[in-house]
């Protein structure tokens, strides 16, 4: 916080007035199910994005990110909130400001602000640094303009930024986890109805290990949109024989009965993942509640396998780190987390074995892939908020 305040003074020649934080997220299980109307099981983590802010008297917004010092100050007016390539990372806050501005009745009454941002989520690691910036901007603007928005509405605006401003057809999971997260709770979210349940995560002798492959998620956005389109097409074909609105409505047994109508191996695999993963997610939530970590871990492993073989979103780096981890003594289960194509995996591990696991996996990964992985221990944290 001190560095953020000092940077603000250096960049804007004034002191900031208020501070905010939005977390990143991990998803325990339920991958690529959100846009298929299925369940997800994410939680907010203590790594995230900080912002220190001072309101302005005019209509300018000026943003500076300590993560991209070379890009300098990004600046725009409330009177032109359109997407611009040159705004780079600042398009995420810009989109959010724009959608919130649309909701303001007296548009002359609101003013811009200066903000310095710093994120300790590794960029491109699949821990949702973009949704974190969206929700950070959301809580800042909500506070400065004194908007009273239902939190789920703010979450939906974050998704709208991704879908319509940035152009990634992502589901609601990331923004929901980051907006609604609570310390030591995972969120079982039904993405079709948005009904959700907070599930306490009380691990006595275990930790959640985050492993960053350091493989950038290149092509992730275009591949992501492609997977989504494949699922939509599989759904469309299934709808010719059954009355469903989303793949998430089917059990695996129902899917097996109907799947012949899909008539395309790739589309069938994509849909099978979505259906099976949804079922695994519900089972995993029950296993966690029953403190049956063995079953929970097996479901994590099965999730990775399905993402590798049926959904094909893992790649060499994620497969390597997950296989190496699964082979270690003290590992209960491991899988990729987030969109895939690089980024992070998570593992549930025995706390007393943590150092050995990190050491062994780190060394073997470096040998196989040629560069290092990074390791973090996740603590489950609160959602986006103003901080004192
Ligand atoms: C990304 C998207 C989410 C979700 C995951 C995969 O993180 O933003 O909406 O689809 O991928 O589960």
């Amino acid at each position: 916080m001190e560095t953020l305040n000092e940077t603000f003074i250096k960049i804007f020649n004034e002191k900031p007035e208020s501070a905010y934080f939005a977390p990143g997220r991990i998803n325990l299980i339920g991958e690529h199910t959100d846009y298929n109307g299925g369940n997800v099981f994410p939680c907010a983590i203590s790594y995230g994005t900080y912002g220190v802010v001072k309101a302005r008297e005019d209509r300018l917004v000026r943003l500076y990110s300590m993560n991209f010092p070379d890009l300098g100050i990004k600046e725009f007016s409330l009177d032109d909130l359109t997407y611009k390539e040159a705004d780079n990372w600042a398009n995420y806050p810009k989109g959010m400001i724009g959608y919130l501005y649309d909701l303001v009745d007296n548009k002359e009454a609101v003013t811009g602000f200066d903000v310095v941002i710093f994120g300790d989520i590794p960029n491109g690691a699949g821990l949702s640094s973009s949704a974190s910036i969206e929700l950070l901007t959301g809580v800042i603007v909500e506070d400065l303009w004194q908007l009273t928005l239902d939190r789920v509405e703010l979450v939906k605006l974050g998704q709208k930024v991704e879908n319509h401003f940035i152009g990634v057809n992502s589901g609601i999971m990331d923004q929901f986890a980051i907006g609604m997260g609570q310390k030591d709770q995972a969120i079982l979210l039904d993405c079709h109805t948005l009904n959700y349940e907070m599930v306490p995560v009380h691990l006595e002798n275990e930790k959640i290990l985050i492993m960053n492959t350091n493989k950038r998620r290149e092509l992730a956005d275009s591949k992501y949109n492609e997977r989504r389109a494949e699922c939509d097409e599989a759904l469309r074909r299934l709808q010719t024989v059954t009355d469903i609105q989303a793949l998430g409505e089917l059990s695996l047994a129902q899917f097996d009965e109907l799947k012949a109508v899909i008539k395309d191996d790739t589309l069938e695999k994509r849909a099978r993942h979505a259906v099976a993963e949804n079922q695994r997610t519900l089972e995993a939530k029950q296993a966690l509640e029953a403190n049956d970590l063995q079953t929970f871990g097996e479901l994590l492993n099965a999730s990775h396998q399905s993402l590798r073989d049926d959904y094909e979103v893992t790649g060499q780096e994620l497969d390597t780190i997950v296989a190496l981890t699964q082979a270690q003594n003290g590992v209960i289960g491991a899988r990729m987390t987030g969109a895939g194509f690089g980024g992070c995996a998570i593992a549930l591990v025995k706390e007393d074995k943590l150092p050995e696991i990190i050491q062994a996996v780190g060394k073997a990964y470096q040998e196989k892939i040629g560069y290092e992985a990074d390791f973090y221990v996740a603590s489950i944290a609160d959602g986006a908020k103003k901080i004192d």
Side-chain angles (χ1 to χ4, degrees):
M1 281 317 295
E2 223 167 87
T3 335
L4 267 123
N5 286 334
E6 279 165 20
T7 308
F8 193 100
I9 295 168
K10 211 167 81 198
I11 300 288
F12 295 124
N13 290 317
E14 280 185 295
K15 278 193 185 160
E17 285 167 340
S18 46
Y20 307 81
F21 174 73
R25 67 97 190 87
I26 52 171
N27 187 19
L28 297 177
I29 190 165
E31 217 64 85
H32 291 279
T33 47
D34 59 353
Y35 52 83
N36 285 309
N39 289 273
V40 293
F41 200 24
C43 36
I45 54 174
S46 54
Y47 297 98
T49 321
Y50 296 82
V52 291
V53 177
K54 186 174 193 303
R56 297 177 58 88
E57 275 158 21
D58 58 16
R59 295 173 65 76
L60 274 189
V61 177
R62 297 193 298 173
L63 308 102
Y64 179 86
S65 168
M66 291 167 62
N67 297 83
F68 303 107
D70 296 351
L71 298 179
I73 299 175
K74 296 285 167 194
E75 179 180 315
F76 46 80
S77 157
L78 294 179
D79 299 313
D80 179 10
L81 293 169
T82 53
Y83 181 94
K84 292 207 174 74
E85 193 84 48
D87 284 329
N88 199 290
W89 68 271
N91 278 303
Y92 291 93
K94 194 183 199 180
M96 199 69 186
I97 295 167
Y99 291 139
L100 286 164
Y101 189 66
D102 290 343
L103 301 178
V104 170
D105 290 330
N106 184 357
K107 296 210 168 14
E108 297 309 310
V110 295
T111 62
F113 54 92
D114 293 335
V115 54
V116 167
I117 288 176
F118 172 72
D120 60 6
I121 318 176
N123 285 315
L127 302 177
S128 288
S129 54
S130 66
S132 183
I133 293 194
E134 288 152 15
L135 269 292
L136 178 78
T137 311
V139 290
I140 291 172
V141 172
E142 217 184 0
D143 188 36
L144 292 184
W145 295 352
Q146 307 207 334
L147 304 173
T148 37
L149 237 83
D150 189 68
R151 185 46 76 92
V152 175
E153 292 309 311
L154 202 66
V155 162
K156 286 184 187 164
L157 288 185
Q159 187 195 10
K160 191 170 163 191
V161 172
E162 293 287 343
N163 296 172
H164 301 295
F165 205 74
I166 305 292
V168 183
N169 290 329
S170 54
I172 190 100
M173 170 172 73
D174 301 347
Q175 290 79 10
F176 202 96
I178 288 168
M180 303 290 287
Q182 282 174 25
K183 192 172 164 23
D184 296 330
Q185 316 254 351
I187 310 173
L188 182 79
L189 170 67
D190 177 336
C191 299
H192 196 46
T193 59
L194 293 192
N195 289 335
Y196 67 97
E197 196 183 323
M198 303 306 293
V199 180
V201 183
H202 290 310
L203 300 172
E204 303 244 310
N205 306 308
E206 297 80 18
K207 290 279 176 200
I208 299 167
L209 179 64
I210 303 178
M211 304 172 286
N212 186 359
T213 61
N214 282 323
K215 153 89 175 161
R216 298 274 310 183
R217 295 172 39 225
E218 275 147 35
L219 286 181
D221 295 350
S222 59
K223 285 278 177 201
Y224 183 95
N225 286 350
E226 183 185 298
R227 288 294 174 281
R228 186 162 184 166
E230 287 166 344
C231 286
D232 287 347
E233 180 55 25
L235 173 65
R236 202 188 58 75
R237 296 184 189 188
L238 286 164
Q239 282 169 330
T240 61
V241 293
T242 182
D243 184 22
I244 52 166
Q245 283 169 39
L247 293 175
E249 287 172 50
L250 295 177
S251 69
L252 203 49
Q254 287 168 324
F255 174 75
D256 282 336
E257 251 169 52
L258 300 169
K259 69 186 181 198
V261 75
I262 297 177
K263 291 197 172 68
D264 177 291
D265 284 350
T266 303
L267 296 184
E268 186 183 316
K269 282 200 293 181
R270 305 301 189 240
R272 181 169 63 219
H273 166 76
V275 172
E277 180 77 354
N278 186 38
Q279 200 157 308
R280 274 190 291 273
T281 305
L282 295 170
E283 285 165 18
K285 181 250 182 187
Q286 278 175 358
L288 190 67
E289 275 183 328
N291 209 20
D292 177 1
L293 296 185
Q294 189 62 36
T295 302
F296 185 77
E298 281 161 15
L299 290 162
L300 296 188
N301 294 341
S303 167
H304 187 85
Q305 193 180 339
S306 173
L307 288 155
R308 183 189 66 201
D309 300 340
D310 279 352
Y311 220 63
E312 298 181 272
V313 292
T314 54
Q316 200 204 346
E317 295 78 4
L318 279 168
D319 289 338
T320 300
I321 210 157
V322 166
L324 288 170
T325 306
Q326 286 169 343
Q328 302 300 314
N329 197 1
V331 172
I332 303 161
R335 58 179 290 275
M336 57 154 271
T337 192
F341 313 102
C344 286
I346 55 165
L348 184 64
V349 304
K350 292 276 177 212
E351 190 171 4
D352 58 354
K353 293 282 184 335
L354 203 57
E356 287 111 291
I357 293 168
I358 293 176
Q359 224 269 335
V361 173
K363 184 162 175 285
Y365 181 83
Q366 152 94 55
E367 277 164 15
K368 279 213 164 147
I369 300 294
Y371 51 80
E372 281 181 6
D374 287 319
F375 298 86
Y376 314 84
V377 175
S379 47
I380 303 179
D382 282 333
K385 60 181 180 187
K386 188 174 188 176
I387 45 186
D388 301 323

